[in-house]
Amino acid sequence: MREFIRGLSRRTVVTFFGVGYGIALLLALFPPFYLGASGIATPILGVPFSIAYWLIDGLLLGFGLWGLYIVEDIRGELDESLVPAAPIAGE
C-alpha cells in the first residue's frame, strides 16, 4: 500500500482530497442541501438527522485532513523544518 501511495503523482493526491473537501464545503455552504436535511425526521443512532447531517459533514472534513496528513507522511512531504532539531536552552 505504501508503494502504491508513493507512486501516485502529486496531482492525483491533490485532486482526490480536493474533491472530498469540495463535497464537504458543498454540503455546508449550499442551502438546498442543509435545508432539505432539516426536514427529515429519521434519527441516526438516536441523533436527529438535521444534527447528524452537520456531524457527518464535520467528520468528512476531519477524516479528509487526517488522510491527507497520513498520505503526505508516507510520501515524505511533511515540512520537518518547522520542528526544532534540539531543545532550546533554558526550557
Side-chain angles (χ1 to χ4, degrees), residues 16-52:
F16 178 78
F17 286 102
V19 168
Y21 299 143
I23 290 171
L25 281 175
L26 193 64
L27 289 172
L29 300 176
F30 192 60
F33 288 150
Y34 58 81
L35 290 175
S38 67
I40 299 173
T42 305
I44 297 176
L45 299 174
V47 177
F49 188 82
S50 59
I51 303 290

Side-chain angles (χ1 to χ4, degrees), residues 7-77:
L8 294 174
S9 69
R10 179 71 183 154
R11 171 175 269 187
T12 303
V13 172
V14 169
T15 301
F16 178 78
F17 286 102
V19 168
Y21 299 143
I23 290 171
L25 281 175
L26 193 64
L27 289 172
L29 300 176
F30 192 60
F33 288 150
Y34 58 81
L35 290 175
S38 67
I40 299 173
T42 305
I44 297 176
L45 299 174
V47 177
F49 188 82
S50 59
I51 303 290
Y53 176 87
W54 293 109
L55 293 174
I56 291 168
D57 191 34
L59 288 174
L60 178 66
L61 185 61
F63 282 124
L65 288 172
W66 186 33
L68 180 60
Y69 176 79
I70 291 171
V71 167
E72 286 184 344
D73 185 35
I74 290 172
R75 295 168 54 92
E77 296 174 341

